[in-house]
Amino acid sequence: MKKVCLFDAVRTPRAKGKKDGSLHSVRPIELTAAVLKALQNRNNLETKYVDDVVLGCVTQVQEQGGCIAKSAALYAGFDESVSGVTLNRFCGSGLEAINRSACNIISGYFDLMIAGGVESMSRVPMGSDGGAWMIDPDVASKTSFVPQGISADLIATLAGYSRIELDKFALRSHCNAADAVEDERFKNSIIPIYDENCQLILDKDEMIRSETSLDKLGSLKPAFLEMGTKYGFDSVALQKYPNLEKINHFHHAGNSSAIVDGAAVVLMGSEEIGEKLNLKTRGYIKSMALTSTEPTIMLTGPAPASKMALEKAGLTIDDIDVIEINEAFASVVLRFIDEMGCDPEKVNPNGGAIAMGHPLGATGAMILGTCLDELERQKKKYGLVTLCIGGGMGIATIIERAE
């Protein structure tokens, strides 16, 4: 099997995913084209050598429909021979795009791939693509569907996490992200976004709240209490977990991931194509894994997926130097740390989605790039990237820094 080399990773800033967000005026195809062009320019890349562009995108309707991977490649001026495909594995889509591309390279049938994702949540709202699971009562009933916020509160209740524990983790995310910005730790991957007149729109993540505090977080109202009680989702969850008397609704806007706009891509390929095109290898894909768990609690997939990836790589969690787990909700990360028995200081040292946001289809590629940057900064060897996914799925990838 061929080695999978990681040559480069770039991303846009993450912007508030509402109409008053800085990137609301930028179409998703423009966000995608911007990161594609950045890869091309940074690596002096002849795009005719790119076999495929694989992008994750969760809400594939309207401006994000019609295989945005191919249309964005054309819009970015890539050679017309470059193919494109868009996929949806919910929140894991960006990392799924990377893993599938890695499999193509490992097989030897593909040499050079671009993988990543995009989500413009201010222009194409989450859930606007519908889906039987969420809008068909018969399907929801038979599958014991509840919204993810209920699942996050269920995890916190079962584990006995208090509101203050969740808020402390959220505060840590904002503080770590603010420190990372101060130390310019994102400068290697983040690219500025300009308008058509070459005026700067945004060059940094705009959701980080360095001034937040436990008092401010403590003043926020639970986000999923009414949803759970008024619409009956608590009852659905309690049918699955009858040992509980009730669900504690401790998650709110401050300890859950923010809705944002953003795009990210990774340039990856074989050692042979790297030598041919004079591309610097920054790291390697060491292993990958995918699994699924109980669908009502839904958000517990990262630990079992990570254990599978570690086993495939012949490593233990103690061998991992940097862990990037998507902060969908604070309870997801706390449970992962408990279940894996890992050092909390290795987890999201530069903050995560609670501070910076979660652009659904792009997040997996974003945090893989962050992980690679951090391995280089620390001069360490192994990184683990993992996300929880709707329906109980979990995805994980282990990367190795090139010496």
Side-chain angles (χ1 to χ4, degrees):
M1 296 190 297
K2 293 198 173 187
K3 273 190 173 183
V4 180
C5 302
L6 300 171
F7 300 123
D8 203 4
V10 298
R11 70 172 179 92
T12 68
R14 283 173 269 200
K16 184 178 180 181
K18 302 290 184 181
K19 290 185 178 180
D20 59 344
S22 294
L23 296 181
H24 174 65
S25 63
V26 185
R27 294 168 293 159
I29 196 168
E30 292 176 294
L31 291 177
T32 310
V35 288
L36 289 174
K37 288 178 180 177
L39 271 190
Q40 180 184 11
N41 294 335
R42 284 162 54 123
N43 296 280
N44 194 25
L45 181 64
E46 292 186 66
T47 59
K48 67 180 181 180
Y49 290 106
V50 177
D51 291 307
D52 203 7
V53 175
V54 184
L55 291 182
C57 183
V58 174
T59 313
Q60 295 183 40
V61 294
Q62 301 170 25
E63 293 178 322
Q64 292 179 168
C67 191
I68 192 171
K70 175 58 181 174
S71 56
L74 289 172
Y75 189 73
F78 275 32
D79 193 272
E80 62 183 18
S81 66
V82 179
S83 300
V85 63
T86 312
L87 55 82
N88 179 8
R89 197 184 289 282
F90 298 141
C91 298
S93 298
L95 193 57
E96 174 71 12
I98 291 169
N99 288 356
R100 289 200 187 187
S101 297
C103 290
N104 287 333
I105 295 163
I106 289 169
S107 72
Y109 288 108
F110 290 73
D111 296 309
L112 188 64
M113 307 281 289
I114 292 176
V118 62
E119 208 79 36
S120 180
M121 301 179 78
S122 70
R123 298 179 68 96
V124 187
M126 178 172 56
S128 57
D129 55 336
W133 197 26
M134 291 177 285
I135 66 174
D136 186 327
D138 176 61
V139 174
S141 176
K142 288 182 178 178
T143 59
S144 299
F145 167 79
V146 299
Q148 288 192 353
I150 303 297
S151 299
D153 284 337
L154 177 58
I155 290 173
T157 304
L158 286 167
Y161 300 138
S162 66
R163 166 75 181 254
I164 191 68
E165 286 178 290
L166 302 178
D167 286 353
K168 281 182 177 179
F169 182 81
L171 179 61
R172 174 189 184 269
S173 182
H174 281 282
C175 291
N176 283 4
D179 288 345
V181 172
E182 180 71 20
D183 293 343
E184 297 187 329
R185 297 180 195 171
F186 300 136
K187 68 177 182 179
N188 189 51
S189 293
I190 202 165
I191 63 164
I193 299 298
Y194 298 91
D195 65 15
E196 58 186 11
N197 297 314
C198 297
Q199 297 297 307
L200 179 66
I201 298 177
L202 187 66
D203 62 357
K204 62 183 179 180
D205 301 307
E206 72 174 354
M207 295 297 289
I208 301 170
R209 299 289 180 262
S210 58
E211 76 286 355
T212 195
S213 66
L214 286 178
D215 286 341
K216 290 180 180 179
L217 291 169
S219 68
L220 299 175
K221 294 181 179 180
F224 309 106
L225 174 61
E226 182 177 2
M227 182 185 296
T229 56
K230 184 176 180 179
Y231 296 102
F233 289 116
D234 279 7
S235 297
V236 175
L238 291 172
Q239 287 177 2
K240 279 289 190 78
Y241 297 89
N243 56 308
L244 295 178
E245 292 184 5
K246 67 172 185 175
I247 295 176
N248 299 320
H249 291 287
F250 289 156
H251 284 91
H252 51 78
N255 57 28
S256 307
S257 56
I259 293 173
V260 294
D261 300 337
V265 285
V266 175
L267 181 64
M268 51 198 297
S270 65
E271 291 179 298
E272 293 82 2
I273 196 69
E275 292 176 1
K276 179 177 180 177
L277 301 181
N278 196 31
L279 299 171
K280 179 185 176 182
T281 297
R282 297 176 58 194
Y284 305 94
I285 299 287
K286 183 75 174 175
S287 71
M288 63 192 81
L290 185 70
T291 191
S292 196
T293 59
E294 197 276 295
T296 301
I297 201 168
M298 195 183 307
L299 307 173
T300 59
S306 296
K307 290 176 181 178
M308 292 170 63
L310 287 166
E311 183 178 359
K312 292 174 187 293
L315 301 171
T316 70
I317 191 63
D318 292 333
D319 294 318
I320 301 300
D321 302 298
V322 177
I323 299 170
E324 285 289 331
I325 175 172
N326 184 38
E327 295 174 357
F329 301 90
S331 64
V332 172
V333 187
L334 293 181
R335 172 169 173 144
F336 174 86
I337 292 171
D338 288 344
E339 192 170 346
M340 296 298 295
C342 57
D343 181 355
E345 294 303 310
K346 293 181 178 181
V347 177
N348 297 359
N350 297 310
I354 288 175
M356 292 176 282
H358 174 26
L360 306 177
T363 303
M366 285 189 171
I367 63 177
L368 185 136
T370 299
C371 189
L372 184 57
D373 286 342
E374 186 64 16
L375 287 173
E376 291 176 339
R377 188 181 77 87
Q378 294 188 23
K379 296 182 172 57
K380 294 294 181 66
K381 190 169 186 179
Y382 293 119
L384 169 66
V385 181
T386 185
L387 300 93
C388 60
I389 308 172
M393 293 183 284
I395 191 169
T397 303
I398 294 175
I399 64 174
E400 179 181 358
R401 181 179 69 90
E403 298 293 340

